[in-house]
């Protein structure tokens, strides 16, 4: 979702997720189970060898009609990239609601999308984003410490009407599906790796919501969860249990980022003092790793992983994101590498 270090669309999307009442009121919908960057299969029929997946900006369900809801956000006018994405989604979607939110819509894009949903049980909402939101989003993106943005999202609530449904060009008709709410999340089979990863991500999001990558639902099928850390080639990896039966939190540096690794390594002793003696600097892999034996109870392992992951984020974010210590980070004194 981010580009060149910018997370403007992330900011807008997370803001809407936290304030679903804005969309519900303006669009007369009852939204639930909304997640960010849910995978959506757009593989062509009879082409299983070339599987193609799109990451949806927002995904959930509408409780009155029991259909899935797909939201596409763009902080510009409609454009060719998003048009292609939406056409692929419409082609594969059997029934549901698509909400396209942008600063404005090119007439040819509106016409093409409306033609694409003809004869299908798909409602298409064209929603205009209030341009007054953009300066506030830009300010959060460029002037606020990345770990402080979440706490300051409420500044966007100063805009009285952040979005507006364009009823005259939208396609809204009665539809009814059979999508059901997911089972109680407390009733999980944590021996299933996918369920365990879902639980891990739930806990990361609940306890560290200010780290925006934890807001996204993707790559849950692997043995580890991978999150971009705001710089090209820097990733945070978290695993409940790897092939060697170890749980871990790792920060990896690739491409043009090893110099960041070595700047952090200069303060290795301080980092180990903050995070724990298990912390290792692996020069040959440009990796900072904290590994331990998983507990018998997956929940206990996850609790420890969440604790260590937060220490990684608080301890290393200044160096990774800014290359220097920068004021305004949560718990900046306790986790400073100075």
């Amino acid at each position: 979702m981010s580009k060149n270090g910018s997370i403007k669309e992330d900011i807008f999307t997370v803001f809407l997720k936290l304030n679903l009442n804005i969309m519900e009121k303006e669009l007369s919908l009852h939204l639930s189970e909304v997640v960010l960057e849910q995978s959506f299969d757009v593989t062509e029929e009879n082409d299983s060898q070339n599987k193609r997946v799109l990451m949806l900006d927002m995904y959930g369900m509408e409780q009155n009609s029991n259909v899935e809801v797909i939201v596409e956000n763009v902080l510009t006018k409609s454009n060719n990239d998003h048009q292609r994405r939406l056409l692929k989604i419409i082609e594969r979607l059997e029934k549901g609601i698509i909400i396209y939110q942008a600063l404005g819509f090119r007439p040819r894009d509106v016409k093409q999308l409306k033609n694409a949903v003809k004869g299908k049980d798909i409602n298409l909402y064209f929603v205009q984003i209030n341009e007054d939101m953009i300066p506030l989003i830009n300010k959060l993106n460029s002037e606020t410490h990345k770990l402080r943005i979440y706490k300051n999202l409420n500044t966007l609530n100063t805009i009285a009407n952040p979005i507006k449904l364009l009823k005259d060009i939208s396609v809204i008709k009665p539809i009814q599906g059979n999508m059901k709410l997911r089972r109680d999340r407390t009733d999980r089979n944590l021996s299933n790796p996918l369920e365990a990863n879902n639980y891990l991500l739930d806990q990361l999001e609940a306890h560290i919501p200010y780290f925006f990558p934890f807001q996204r639902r993707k790559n849950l099928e692997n043995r580890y969860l991978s999150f971009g850390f705001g710089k090209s080639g820097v990733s945070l990896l978290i695993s409940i249990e790897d092939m060697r039966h170890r749980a871990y939190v790792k920060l990896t540096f690739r491409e043009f980022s090893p110099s960041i690794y070595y700047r952090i390594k200069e303060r290795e002793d301080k980092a180990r003092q903050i995070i724990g003696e298990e912390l290792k600097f692996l020069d040959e892999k440009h990796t900072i790793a904290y590994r331990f034996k998983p507990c018998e109870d997956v929940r206990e392992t996850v609790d420890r992983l969440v604790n260590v992951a937060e220490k990684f984020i608080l301890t290393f974010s200044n160096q990774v994101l800014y290359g220097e210590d920068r004021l305004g980070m949560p718990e900046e004194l306790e986790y400073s590498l100075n």
Side-chain angles (χ1 to χ4, degrees):
M1 296 167 70
S2 62
K3 184 181 294 185
N4 298 326
S6 171
I7 59 169
K8 290 185 288 187
E9 287 186 8
D10 299 53
I11 291 170
F12 178 72
T13 301
V14 173
F15 167 73
L16 286 182
K17 180 188 173 189
L18 295 175
N19 296 274
L20 286 178
N21 61 300
I22 292 173
M23 295 175 66
E24 291 180 325
K25 181 179 179 181
E26 179 62 20
L27 309 183
S28 299
L29 298 174
H30 186 189
L31 304 174
S32 64
E33 302 200 356
V34 174
V35 296
L36 309 188
E37 295 219 7
Q38 173 73 38
S39 61
F40 185 83
D41 186 0
V42 292
T43 306
E44 299 287 342
E45 290 185 13
N46 303 318
D47 191 19
S48 58
Q49 298 297 318
N50 297 300
K51 184 171 183 177
R52 302 179 66 188
V53 174
L54 291 179
M55 305 310 298
L56 306 175
D57 287 346
M58 303 176 73
Y59 176 85
M61 71 167 290
E62 206 286 312
Q63 290 194 38
N64 294 328
S65 56
N66 295 318
V67 297
E68 55 190 329
V69 177
I70 293 170
V71 183
E72 187 78 1
N73 297 323
V74 53
L75 298 183
T76 62
K77 290 188 177 181
S78 61
N79 56 51
N80 293 339
D81 286 343
H82 285 80
Q83 191 74 1
R84 285 191 291 268
R85 284 171 54 86
L86 285 166
L87 288 172
K88 290 177 183 176
I89 290 169
I90 291 170
E91 182 181 352
R92 301 300 295 164
L93 186 65
E94 294 184 4
K95 180 180 296 187
I97 294 171
I98 295 176
I99 302 170
Y100 189 10
Q101 303 192 121
L103 293 180
F105 300 94
R106 299 181 301 189
R108 67 174 182 270
D109 293 340
V110 173
K111 182 178 180 180
Q112 187 178 34
L113 291 174
K114 291 177 72 170
N115 284 336
V117 301
K118 279 184 178 178
K120 305 191 76 170
D121 286 335
I122 297 176
N123 281 349
L124 182 59
Y125 290 68
F126 289 97
V127 179
Q128 187 168 35
I129 300 170
N130 190 332
E131 290 187 355
D132 292 341
M133 297 281 285
I134 304 304
L136 296 180
I137 292 172
N138 287 340
K139 186 173 182 179
L140 287 172
N141 180 63
S142 61
E143 299 181 19
T144 306
H145 193 293
K146 289 291 190 282
L147 300 188
R148 285 287 192 185
I149 292 174
Y150 183 87
K151 184 177 181 180
N152 289 281
L153 284 174
N154 58 352
T155 61
L156 300 182
N157 281 315
T158 59
I159 304 300
N161 300 294
I163 60 173
K164 179 183 179 180
L165 173 64
L166 303 180
K167 295 182 180 179
D168 57 328
I169 61 173
S170 295
V171 178
I172 304 173
K173 56 186 180 293
I175 57 174
Q176 192 65 41
N178 55 9
M179 189 176 180
K180 296 181 180 180
L181 290 170
R182 285 174 290 182
R183 61 196 176 107
D184 187 347
R185 290 190 175 189
T186 61
D187 180 23
R188 296 179 184 264
N189 175 18
L190 297 184
S191 63
N192 179 303
L194 181 59
E195 288 272 7
N197 276 344
N198 265 298
Y199 175 71
L200 170 58
L201 188 51
D202 283 346
Q203 296 305 305
L204 290 167
E205 180 183 346
H207 290 87
I208 318 172
Y210 54 84
F211 188 66
F212 276 22
F214 290 161
Q215 300 278 347
R216 304 168 187 164
R217 295 277 150 176
K218 59 181 182 179
N219 302 324
L220 296 176
E221 296 82 8
N222 300 324
R223 278 188 171 270
Y224 60 87
L225 303 184
S226 177
F227 307 94
F229 209 102
K231 288 285 187 181
S232 176
V234 183
S235 299
L236 183 69
L237 311 178
I238 307 174
S239 176
I240 294 174
E241 185 171 6
D242 66 8
M243 295 291 288
R244 297 184 179 181
H245 305 292
R246 299 175 301 183
Y248 65 71
V249 178
K250 295 180 181 178
L251 193 60
T252 64
F253 300 81
R254 302 182 307 279
E255 299 174 11
F256 303 106
S257 57
S259 59
I260 304 174
Y261 168 83
Y262 286 110
R263 282 201 300 270
I264 294 174
K265 183 176 169 61
E266 292 174 1
R267 307 178 193 183
E268 179 177 351
D269 291 341
K270 179 64 173 179
R272 188 172 290 111
Q273 178 183 336
I274 294 171
I275 297 175
E277 290 302 316
E278 294 89 344
L279 192 70
K280 303 294 182 184
F281 282 72
L282 310 175
D283 293 350
E284 71 281 4
K285 297 181 179 180
H286 300 126
T287 295
I288 304 172
Y290 184 105
R291 297 172 291 204
F292 62 93
K293 182 179 179 181
C295 307
E296 290 188 11
D297 187 338
V298 171
R299 289 178 174 81
E300 291 183 17
T301 302
V302 168
D303 287 346
R304 187 171 179 184
L305 288 170
V306 170
N307 179 265
V308 174
E310 183 164 37
K311 288 180 179 179
F312 264 63
I313 293 163
L314 294 175
T315 303
F316 301 131
S317 283
N318 272 335
Q319 281 65 40
V320 172
L321 297 174
Y322 302 107
E324 60 183 2
D325 287 321
R326 174 166 168 165
L327 296 178
M329 186 178 71
E331 310 292 342
E332 59 196 35
L333 297 179
E334 181 180 354
Y335 292 94
S336 173
L337 282 178
N338 279 343

